[in-house]
Amino acid sequence: MRKSVTVLGSTGSVGINTLKVIASYAERFEVKGLAAGSQTGILREQIDAFRPSDVYVLDDKSAAELSTAYGKKLKVWTGQNGLTQFSSAVGSDILVAATSGTTALGSVIETLEKGRKVALANKEILVVAGALVMSVLRAHPEAQLIPVDSEHSAIFQCLQGQKKESVQKLILTSSGGPLREVPPSEFFGISKERVINHPKWKMGPKISVDSATLMNKGLEIIEAAWLFDLPVDRIKVLIHPEAVIHSMVEFVDASVLAQLGVTDMRLPIQYALTYPERWQAEEGMRVDFAGLGKLTFALPDRKKFPCLDIAYEAAKCSGTAPCVLSAADEVAVHAYLEDKISFLDIPRIIEKVMSRHSPLKNVDLRKIQEIHQWAVEEANRLCLAH
Ligand code: MG
């Protein structure tokens, strides 16, 4: 029996790679639902290739165009709040959450409540609503939340068969991003092209900027704290420019397990889809150790990349602090991409928004969304004032 899959964010970088994995296992997976922001050439190609029964597009004009083009062959969903209804109605075995931001939060919670599998590529969801999502997961023993983020997939793999009490600390590796060797004196007025040009991973613009500021790693610390139920002071960051070791777990007996692989998102995506099984990889996906020659490591430069400490601080404050961090970062990064603020303004704006928020604990989804919206508006105001 083929497993049915719904991909949220199908035209983004992880979405496209997810469909590549599915295409190479066409006899084992079927695509039932695809969701994207608007209808594009890529989405049309995906619809033609995978023939889903349902599609969601946020933009209603796109929805009308798709309905006209496909008629009765395709059920088209749209609307600001339509994504959760769409994924719920499609009801696939596996939901791949590969949107950016928190748009897929409702769908993730609803899928876990049904006791199904979520392959989570979207780190903002745990950063913003980690307590809520993990409590839903605990309440539904059948449900699975499998990380797709390469670092978390690595740690998840290293922890298979291990007891939680055996874990000393988690070591999240970071390539150091595109600015690792750029002197901070050049940060002022640095071009988007240099910032987005990641040396190891090909990703969307938001996550590429986050990699340049190291906020991506900061968000990953918070994501890891929720997924693996550890305090953030036991989650460390290690710069590893070759990006071959995707992350490591140190155990109480000082033994360290690492997961290694080529820098290709199809690897963690495939593991999330096939877990707990491992399926044959395609040609060209194997690590050439002799070709690599050596692996190097360093500590992150925390002065040069203040976003890392801002994220640790938010994680320690806990409650709604990470939600505000994530919302402010999203706004600041988009403002930078639209040339409204400079690269150096990104951490300043995030810190300012955070300083104006008193974190709350044990909040429900509605309150989280309210605080998220407040942080978005506050960050927008600060970006405009620049
Ligand atoms: Mg990552």
Side-chain angles (χ1 to χ4, degrees):
M1 259 254 296
R2 294 199 296 173
K3 288 242 189 290
S4 59
V5 185
T6 292
V7 184
L8 310 184
S10 70
T11 57
S13 166
V14 172
I16 289 170
N17 277 306
T18 301
L19 291 172
K20 278 187 194 160
V21 172
I22 290 175
S24 59
Y25 292 106
E27 71 292 350
R28 301 200 190 187
F29 292 120
E30 64 169 325
V31 175
K32 258 174 109 177
L34 293 173
S38 59
Q39 79 113 344
T40 55
I42 302 174
L43 183 62
R44 291 284 275 263
E45 276 170 34
Q46 292 176 342
I47 293 168
D48 294 336
F50 295 95
R51 305 188 174 277
S53 59
D54 295 61
V55 160
Y56 169 91
V57 276
L58 176 62
D59 173 45
D60 51 2
K61 193 167 153 266
S62 294
E65 285 166 8
L66 285 176
S67 293
T68 312
Y70 291 93
K72 281 193 176 130
K73 281 188 285 183
L74 185 69
K75 184 156 187 203
V76 182
W77 300 72
T78 187
Q80 205 58 247
N81 300 312
L83 188 65
T84 310
Q85 285 167 292
F86 154 80
S87 61
S88 169
V90 178
S92 294
D93 300 316
I94 304 171
L95 180 83
V96 179
T99 44
S100 79
T102 51
T103 34
L105 181 55
S107 298
V108 166
I109 290 176
E110 199 271 339
T111 304
L112 294 174
E113 279 172 346
K114 276 191 185 147
R116 299 212 168 112
K117 184 199 263 193
V118 173
L120 187 68
N122 185 193
K123 65 195 73 181
E124 286 90 346
I125 285 181
L126 283 179
V127 173
V128 167
L132 185 66
V133 172
M134 296 314 283
S135 77
V136 173
L137 181 67
R138 277 192 300 272
H140 298 85
E142 302 281 276
Q144 291 182 328
L145 183 65
I146 315 294
V148 169
D149 210 351
S150 61
E151 295 79 358
H152 305 78
S153 174
I155 292 167
F156 185 78
Q157 294 181 53
C158 293
L159 288 175
Q160 293 302 308
Q162 304 289 342
K163 290 196 176 103
K164 202 187 150 229
E165 314 82 81
S166 311
V167 176
Q168 180 76 22
K169 64 176 185 234
L170 308 180
I171 302 165
L172 290 182
T173 53
S174 161
S175 69
L179 304 183
R180 183 175 60 91
E181 292 191 301
V182 176
S185 58
E186 289 178 30
F187 278 15
F188 183 78
I190 194 159
S191 73
K192 281 184 285 186
E193 291 66 34
R194 275 177 89 188
V195 167
I196 290 175
N197 186 22
H198 197 280
K200 288 292 171 192
W201 297 97
K202 292 281 152 273
M203 308 175 290
K206 181 346 175 128
I207 187 170
S208 295
V209 177
D210 280 343
S211 297
T213 60
L214 291 198
M215 181 56 95
N216 184 53
K217 213 46 58 179
L219 298 175
E220 286 178 355
I221 293 161
I222 301 169
E223 187 187 4
W226 284 119
L227 276 171
F228 308 113
D229 192 23
L230 278 180
V232 279
D233 54 8
R234 282 166 64 195
I235 305 173
K236 308 290 180 192
V237 174
L238 186 65
I239 303 297
H240 167 45
E242 295 81 10
V244 172
I245 297 178
H246 295 314
S247 276
M248 305 186 254
V249 178
E250 186 184 306
F251 294 92
V252 286
D253 62 358
S255 204
V256 179
L257 290 186
Q259 186 264 340
L260 294 78
V262 293
T263 49
D264 190 316
M265 281 308 289
R266 285 177 295 171
L267 242 86
I269 291 167
Q270 179 171 318
Y271 185 77
L273 292 176
T274 66
Y275 172 83
E277 290 172 28
R278 289 186 185 273
W279 295 356
Q280 188 70 27
E282 277 181 47
E283 283 306 310
M285 296 280 279
R286 298 185 192 275
V287 182
D288 170 17
F289 286 103
L292 278 163
K294 63 177 180 184
L295 300 179
T296 59
F297 306 96
L299 287 174
D301 185 338
R302 311 183 88 102
K303 252 181 103 179
K304 188 172 152 185
F305 299 108
C307 282
L308 199 53
D309 282 341
I310 298 174
Y312 266 110
E313 198 47 44
K316 279 175 199 153
C317 291
S318 78
T320 49
C323 166
V324 170
L325 172 90
S326 173
D329 175 58
E330 226 175 300
V331 172
V333 168
H334 283 118
Y336 169 70
L337 288 170
E338 289 165 8
D339 300 309
K340 288 179 184 152
I341 61 168
S342 84
F343 184 74
L344 290 172
D345 289 329
I346 298 173
R348 291 181 194 142
I349 283 167
I350 299 167
E351 267 194 309
K352 238 183 212 165
V353 177
M354 292 201 53
S355 71
R356 293 176 186 179
H357 174 66
S358 307
L360 304 173
K361 296 222 162 94
N362 307 318
V363 288
D364 60 12
L365 186 55
R366 185 178 289 179
K367 191 75 192 163
I368 290 169
Q369 284 164 337
E370 200 183 298
I371 289 168
H372 194 270
Q373 190 53 32
W374 168 85
V376 164
E377 283 164 18
E378 201 67 12
N380 265 322
R381 225 189 330 269
L382 287 165
C383 289
L384 277 176
H386 257 265

